[in-house]
Amino acid sequence: MSDLPFGFSMPNDPDDESGRHSGGSGAGSGRPGGGDSQGPGDFPFGDPQQMANMLRQFADMMSSQPAPGSGGGSPSASGINWDTVKNIARHTVSQHGDASVPPHDYAKVEEALRLADLWLDQATDLPSGLQTAQAWSRSEWIEKTMDTWAQLCDPLTSKTVQSMGRNLPEEMRNVAGPLLGMVQQMGGMMVGQQAGQAIGELAREVIGTTDIGLPLAGEGRAALLPPGVAAFGEGLGIPDDEVRLYLASREAAVHRLYSHVPWLRSHVSRLVEEYASGMSFDVSGLEDRLGGLDLTDPEALQEALAGGGGTEGLFQPEDTPQQKAALSRLETTLALIEGWVATVVSDAVAERLPQEGALAEATRRRRATGGPAEHTFAALVGLELRPRRLREASVLWEKLERERGIEGRDAVWQHPDLMPTGDDLDDPDAFVRGRDEGLDLSALTDDAPEAGEDEGDDGKKGE
């Protein structure tokens, strides 16, 4: 599976071999086939009739080749049928075998999640968030997380699909005419097929429902995948039971946070949507990239649109100020979530699991370098959900806990306006001092005291 997003690659790719960033690979202007001459009638992409024929052939090919395992259901706003995506993902998993979870493994996971959740009672002021504790097969993980994948991916994939028609040069749009809608529909089919394959591959490697920093099956539905747990522990030399309990603690901690911070899920989703709304696509090099294609071969065009064969995709997103700002806010939020989870789990298990330090470091490496979940999500939507400032966030939460205690640390989650920013990660001491200098945590809640009243519990926290 390619690490490139659907139909495009990120700008300034160091592996870019198209020559676009170094002045082009061929002499002259990079017209199709090389050279400086243009096609008939000065149309920059060759014979207009050839282009029209190519588009029709491409449409015929796609309409005659339904995606494997496709089923019912209506396409989403992005043109992707997520029922079809789910079926393709399940098919991808079944090709490698996907046995049901044996009863004894199920019992071990359930017991680990329940026990870890009890340990967390002493490490956080937030109450339990577990409604169910289960062990899932890979197919069950796909079935129960697909709604969240659709919600997260739709804003981004819709931009990609729309770009297949809207960002074409004027000359190509005039030739394609009504076929542009067909191009976008076919793009949705291709994106959906790649999404299904990517999610299916991801299901073979995930640990539970919270690998990307939010509960993919919804708040309270905690689960671990025994094969993923076993893969995480390989080579660590740590007993399986200890690995399972540590990972169960992380799973349970994320569910506590999302279950009792009602604004958090919508906040993360909104940041993803803001990132999508800022996406812009570079078509300046489209001629160069089309120049190496046989435009009469629809299969070659399909591969180029998908960025296959290790090549740059035809539609390439550019960084925009809006996109960069949204990405920075999203990465800060993910780092704060991950840092809080790491701090709470460490408090809960430090005296119970002898290898807690090694397990924590293995987790940090997995998250910081981009584990399977991050890479697959990046391939799906052109966005990495990675907490790049995890260590800084962990330091901030630890300082808050030392200065304010567990209750004061967790009170920061009461309202998004109380949350640290990227600048606060640079200077956590200033953030902690600012809280101590009289910021009333109840000012943004329904429990704000009337004028002249004592500050109550919040005032005591600042003492």
Side-chain angles (χ1 to χ4, degrees):
M1 181 184 65
S2 170
D3 281 341
L4 297 176
F6 293 132
F8 56 80
S9 63
M10 295 304 293
N12 301 320
D13 187 346
D15 297 326
D16 178 14
E17 298 178 355
S18 66
R20 186 169 58 86
H21 297 298
S22 57
S25 58
S29 63
R31 304 294 182 194
D36 295 321
S37 61
Q38 295 185 359
D42 291 335
F43 182 63
F45 298 100
D47 186 351
Q49 186 60 45
Q50 182 187 44
M51 176 62 69
N53 291 338
M54 178 272 296
L55 289 173
R56 291 191 183 94
Q57 290 172 351
F58 187 46
D60 291 342
M61 180 194 71
M62 294 301 295
S63 63
S64 64
Q65 294 183 3
S70 60
S74 302
S76 66
S78 64
I80 297 174
N81 187 319
W82 287 96
D83 286 339
T84 299
V85 171
K86 179 173 64 178
N87 290 335
I88 294 172
R90 290 176 63 100
H91 176 72
T92 300
V93 160
S94 66
Q95 288 180 316
H96 300 276
D98 181 34
S100 300
V101 178
H104 65 278
D105 285 346
Y106 192 104
K108 289 179 180 179
V109 168
E110 184 178 23
E111 180 183 3
L113 286 167
R114 296 295 183 188
L115 179 58
D117 197 43
L118 289 175
W119 290 350
L120 290 171
D121 286 339
Q122 302 173 23
T124 175
D125 198 45
L126 300 180
S128 173
L130 262 62
Q131 300 173 14
T132 61
Q134 299 176 334
W136 290 346
S137 67
R138 298 179 177 105
S139 294
E140 288 176 305
W141 183 89
I142 291 170
E143 188 76 29
K144 295 173 182 178
T145 64
M146 189 57 64
D147 287 346
T148 300
W149 283 116
Q151 179 186 8
L152 285 173
C153 294
D154 249 6
L156 293 142
T157 54
S158 62
K159 276 279 190 173
T160 307
V161 173
Q162 291 166 8
S163 74
M164 293 181 178
R166 294 181 182 178
N167 286 348
L168 290 176
E170 184 67 29
E171 295 90 341
M172 187 178 292
R173 288 202 301 270
N174 291 337
V175 171
L179 288 177
L180 286 180
M182 180 67 73
V183 169
Q184 291 181 345
Q185 182 179 3
M186 293 182 292
M189 292 171 60
M190 289 193 311
V191 170
Q193 184 163 356
Q194 191 171 349
Q197 293 169 348
I199 293 175
E201 291 296 329
L202 174 59
R204 299 179 56 230
E205 299 175 325
V206 292
I207 294 170
T209 72
T210 61
D211 287 53
I212 65 171
L214 75 161
L216 290 171
E219 290 80 1
R221 300 183 67 187
L224 295 179
L225 281 67
V229 174
F232 179 88
E234 286 181 0
L236 295 180
I238 300 174
D240 294 343
D241 289 347
E242 192 169 343
V243 173
R244 189 183 305 109
L245 279 165
Y246 182 82
L247 297 175
S249 298
R250 288 182 50 83
E251 177 84 3
V254 174
H255 281 280
R256 283 195 181 223
L257 187 60
Y258 277 86
S259 295
H260 300 289
V261 181
W263 54 267
L264 186 54
R265 177 180 283 271
S266 60
H267 181 70
V268 172
S269 297
R270 184 167 61 252
L271 290 175
V272 172
E273 291 173 1
E274 288 179 8
Y275 179 89
S277 66
M279 290 177 74
S280 177
F281 290 86
D282 172 28
V283 295
S284 62
L286 188 59
E287 286 187 54
D288 292 338
R289 297 194 289 276
L290 281 173
L293 294 177
D294 179 0
L295 298 183
T296 63
D297 182 357
E299 293 184 1
L301 180 60
Q302 179 184 7
E303 182 177 1
L305 283 169
T311 61
E312 181 182 74
L314 292 183
F315 297 97
Q316 183 169 341
E318 296 179 304
D319 288 335
T320 65
Q322 179 184 356
Q323 197 177 21
K324 289 179 179 178
L327 181 59
S328 177
R329 291 192 296 271
L330 178 60
E331 289 179 345
T332 297
T333 298
L334 293 173
L336 290 170
I337 292 169
E338 183 69 21
W340 182 88
V341 169
T343 301
V344 168
V345 168
S346 178
D347 290 350
V349 307
E351 297 181 0
R352 296 180 170 98
L353 301 180
Q355 300 296 324
E356 180 270 335
L359 289 164
E361 183 59 31
T363 302
R364 279 193 293 267
R365 288 199 305 268
R366 189 176 191 267
R367 291 293 276 142
T369 60
E374 289 83 3
H375 288 310
T376 300
F377 194 90
L380 279 170
V381 296
L383 172 65
E384 290 183 337
L385 287 180
R386 186 180 300 177
R388 298 183 186 276
R389 306 191 65 187
L390 170 56
R391 291 188 184 272
E392 293 95 326
S394 297
V395 168
L396 186 145
W397 289 119
E398 291 166 2
K399 288 179 178 291
L400 271 177
E401 182 178 332
R402 286 196 299 268
E403 295 294 327
R404 305 295 302 275
I406 290 174
E407 184 180 4
R409 179 201 66 195
D410 293 348
V412 176
W413 292 103
Q414 288 180 9
H415 194 279
D417 289 348
L418 297 175
M419 295 300 297
T421 64
D423 291 338
D424 294 323
L425 295 183
D426 294 329
D427 189 359
D429 290 328
F431 180 81
V432 174
R433 288 196 304 270
R435 293 295 183 229
D436 286 335
E437 289 169 359
L439 177 61
D440 183 2
L441 295 178
S442 68
L444 297 171
T445 70
D446 294 335
D447 299 327
E450 296 292 334
E453 291 184 0
D454 293 335
E455 291 183 352
D457 292 339
D458 286 329
K460 294 177 182 178
K461 292 174 189 175
E463 294 176 0

